[in-house]
Amino acid sequence: MFGWLSWVAIAAAAFAPDGGAPDGAGPPGVAGPGTSGFDLRWSRVTKPAPGPALALGQPGAGCVRGARALPLRGPGFVVARPERHRHFGHPALVAFIRKVAAQGRAEKLPVLLVGDMGQPRGGPTPTGHRSHQSGIDVDLWYAGPAKRWSPGKSPAPPAPSVVDLRTKKMLPTWNAKVARLVQSVATNPTIDRIFVHPAVKRALCQDRAHRGPWLQRVRPWWGHQDHLHVRLRCPEDSPDCTAREPLAEGEGCDKSLDWWFSDDAARTAAKRKPPGEGAPAMPGKCEALLAGER
């Protein structure tokens, strides 16, 4: 009989939200549709597919029609790495980012730094992600860089971590304003879930003054020490968008969270496949969308 630790391990292996390929790393050549590895054709597309907005498939094997580009800067937000050309998404995602930025501005939170959204037509990226393919994912930095930086005029420095990866304790970059950002995102009705470093989840659970049902949507996952990964619900206009597995009941501040700091979690992490390896097959409609006018 499986214990609760085993079930957490199985779930962790089965539902990978994102990945850890370092920037600039990618497989040589072009992997064709349906094979393991990245299909680099998607990263060569420069503009969205025309037509009504439509999220297709799942975040780890999908695409998006009618994507919108988030402006590189706007009220309360800045795109951190525009050179990646990954500031596209379903219009619902663009609207979500604008709303979070506006709310943060009203609450006098720091400027929202927007990391990767998706490519003009979604699909797999050559570096950094297992997901972000169907137009409903975005990375948001917890905090801005310590050194002065002029967005758009110089490359962005690395996003600062809020977790000491050796001790799994929170760094000074984690503070009440960062926690408020996570809570603000988690209470937005359009989101499905948020992925954060397990230590971030633990810190939020320990803050009993602000705990609430919104914590159910905040899910621990490897990495994510320097950004939170937000995933929206499937948009109502997208019947071919694949909804993810239901979230576990409760706040998630129980033994299932303890597992992430166990030796079993470390062993499971060591067995993880690199992003792109063994990826699910893309929906057939995505191939047609990719083949359209570029």
Side-chain angles (χ1 to χ4, degrees):
M1 180 179 293
F2 287 111
W4 64 268
L5 281 175
S6 298
W7 284 117
V8 174
I10 291 169
F15 301 117
D18 210 343
D23 293 349
V30 177
T35 68
S36 63
F38 294 98
D39 185 346
L40 300 183
R41 296 175 299 165
W42 293 91
S43 64
R44 295 169 181 154
V45 175
T46 60
K47 59 185 179 181
L54 194 64
L56 292 160
Q58 57 181 296
C63 58
V64 58
R65 185 183 73 190
R68 298 288 182 270
L70 181 72
L72 299 186
R73 68 170 61 231
F77 71 86
V78 172
V79 173
R81 296 193 173 99
E83 69 278 4
R84 288 185 178 222
H85 206 53
R86 298 180 189 172
H87 55 282
F88 296 83
H90 188 282
L93 184 64
V94 173
F96 161 79
I97 295 168
R98 286 185 176 277
K99 184 171 183 178
V100 170
Q103 184 174 346
R105 197 178 187 197
E107 296 184 20
K108 294 182 169 46
L109 298 182
V111 170
L112 183 68
L113 288 171
V114 181
D116 282 358
M117 295 168 61
Q119 298 172 141
R121 300 188 189 185
T125 60
T127 60
H129 300 289
R130 302 175 193 271
S131 57
H132 289 251
Q133 296 191 30
S134 58
I136 58 174
D137 291 74
V138 60
D139 291 340
L140 302 175
W141 291 22
Y142 294 117
K147 295 182 179 180
R148 186 178 294 276
W149 163 57
S150 298
K153 297 181 180 179
S154 59
S161 176
V162 297
V163 178
D164 184 321
L165 296 181
R166 183 180 63 84
T167 65
K168 305 300 188 292
K169 294 182 179 180
M170 305 309 290
L171 294 169
T173 41
W174 177 260
N175 55 49
K177 288 188 175 182
V178 179
R180 174 56 192 151
L181 169 64
V182 179
Q183 182 179 359
S184 172
V185 171
T187 53
N188 187 294
T190 66
I191 78 146
D192 179 56
R193 64 198 67 195
I194 305 168
F195 300 103
V196 300
H197 190 280
V200 170
K201 173 76 174 190
R202 182 172 61 184
L204 293 168
C205 288
Q206 291 172 343
D207 183 4
R208 295 187 177 275
H210 297 98
R211 277 177 59 167
W214 58 272
L215 271 170
Q216 181 190 26
R217 294 177 168 186
V218 181
R219 314 308 298 177
W221 199 259
W222 290 284
H224 300 92
Q225 68 273 4
D226 56 10
H227 70 276
L228 58 149
H229 173 173
V230 183
R231 177 166 297 156
L232 300 191
R233 300 179 186 274
C234 281
E236 293 183 358
D237 60 13
S238 300
D240 292 320
C241 175
T242 304
R244 306 307 294 154
E245 75 287 354
L247 294 171
E249 294 294 328
E251 296 177 345
C253 299
D254 51 17
K255 288 184 177 180
S256 65
L257 178 59
D258 296 339
W259 177 83
W260 290 92
F261 302 93
S262 69
D263 291 341
D264 189 36
R267 288 191 294 268
T268 302
K271 297 175 183 177
R272 297 182 73 212
K273 295 179 179 180
E277 185 175 321
M282 296 284 282
K285 291 182 179 179
C286 287
E287 185 65 27
L289 185 145
L290 179 63
E293 179 187 353
R294 301 190 190 185

Coordinates of all heavy atoms in Angstrom, one line a residue, residues 11 60 67 97 106 133 135 142 147 181 185 221 223 237 287:
A11 N 2.6 12.2 -7.8 CA 2.0 13.4 -8.4 C 3.0 14.3 -8.9 O 2.9 15.0 -9.9 CB 1.1 14.1 -7.3
G60 N 1.9 22.1 -21.4 CA 3.1 21.4 -21.7 C 3.1 20.9 -23.1 O 4.1 20.2 -23.5
A67 N -3.0 35.4 -30.2 CA -2.3 35.9 -29.1 C -2.1 37.4 -29.1 O -2.1 38.0 -30.2 CB -1.0 35.2 -28.9
I97 N -2.4 40.2 -16.3 CA -1.2 40.9 -15.9 C -1.5 42.4 -15.6 O -1.0 43.0 -14.7 CB -0.1 40.8 -17.0 CG1 0.3 39.3 -17.0 CG2 1.1 41.6 -16.7 CD1 1.1 38.9 -18.3
A106 N -1.9 50.4 -7.0 CA -2.8 51.1 -6.0 C -2.4 50.8 -4.6 O -2.7 51.6 -3.7 CB -4.3 50.5 -6.3
Q133 N 3.1 27.0 -23.1 CA 2.9 26.7 -24.6 C 1.5 27.2 -25.1 O 1.4 27.5 -26.3 CB 3.1 25.3 -24.9 CG 4.5 24.8 -24.6 CD 4.7 23.4 -25.2 OE1 4.1 23.0 -26.1 NE2 5.6 22.6 -24.5
G135 N -0.5 29.7 -24.0 CA -1.0 31.1 -23.9 C -1.6 31.5 -22.5 O -2.1 32.6 -22.4
Y142 N 9.5 37.8 -8.1 CA 9.2 38.2 -6.7 C 9.6 39.6 -6.4 O 9.0 40.4 -5.7 CB 9.8 37.3 -5.7 CG 9.3 35.8 -5.7 CD1 10.2 34.8 -6.0 CD2 8.0 35.5 -5.4 CE1 9.8 33.5 -6.0 CE2 7.6 34.2 -5.4 CZ 8.5 33.2 -5.7 OH 8.0 31.9 -5.7
K147 N 20.8 45.8 -8.1 CA 21.6 46.9 -8.7 C 20.6 47.7 -9.7 O 19.7 47.2 -10.2 CB 22.7 46.3 -9.6 CG 23.8 45.6 -8.7 CD 24.9 45.1 -9.6 CE 26.0 44.4 -8.7 NZ 27.1 43.9 -9.5
L181 N 2.0 40.3 -2.9 CA 1.9 40.1 -4.3 C 1.4 38.7 -4.6 O 0.5 38.5 -5.4 CB 3.3 40.3 -5.0 CG 3.4 39.8 -6.5 CD1 2.5 40.6 -7.4 CD2 4.8 39.9 -7.0
V185 N -2.2 37.7 -6.4 CA -2.3 36.8 -7.6 C -3.2 35.6 -7.3 O -4.1 35.3 -8.1 CB -0.9 36.4 -8.1 CG1 -1.0 35.3 -9.1 CG2 -0.1 37.5 -8.6
W221 N 6.8 23.7 -5.9 CA 7.4 23.0 -7.1 C 8.9 23.3 -7.1 O 9.3 24.4 -6.6 CB 6.8 23.3 -8.4 CG 7.1 22.3 -9.5 CD1 8.0 22.4 -10.5 CD2 6.5 21.0 -9.6 NE1 8.0 21.3 -11.2 CE2 7.1 20.4 -10.7 CE3 5.6 20.3 -8.9 CZ2 6.8 19.1 -11.1 CZ3 5.2 19.0 -9.3 CH2 5.9 18.4 -10.4
G223 N 12.6 24.5 -8.2 CA 12.9 25.8 -8.8 C 12.0 26.9 -8.2 O 11.5 26.8 -7.1
D237 N -13.5 30.9 -24.1 CA -13.6 30.8 -25.6 C -12.7 29.7 -26.2 O -12.6 29.6 -27.4 CB -13.1 32.2 -26.1 CG -11.7 32.5 -25.8 OD1 -10.9 31.7 -25.3 OD2 -11.3 33.7 -26.0
E287 N -0.2 22.0 -35.3 CA 0.6 21.8 -36.5 C 0.0 22.7 -37.6 O 0.7 23.4 -38.4 CB 0.7 20.4 -36.9 CG 1.6 20.1 -38.1 CD 3.0 20.4 -37.8 OE1 3.5 20.3 -36.6 OE2 3.8 20.8 -38.8

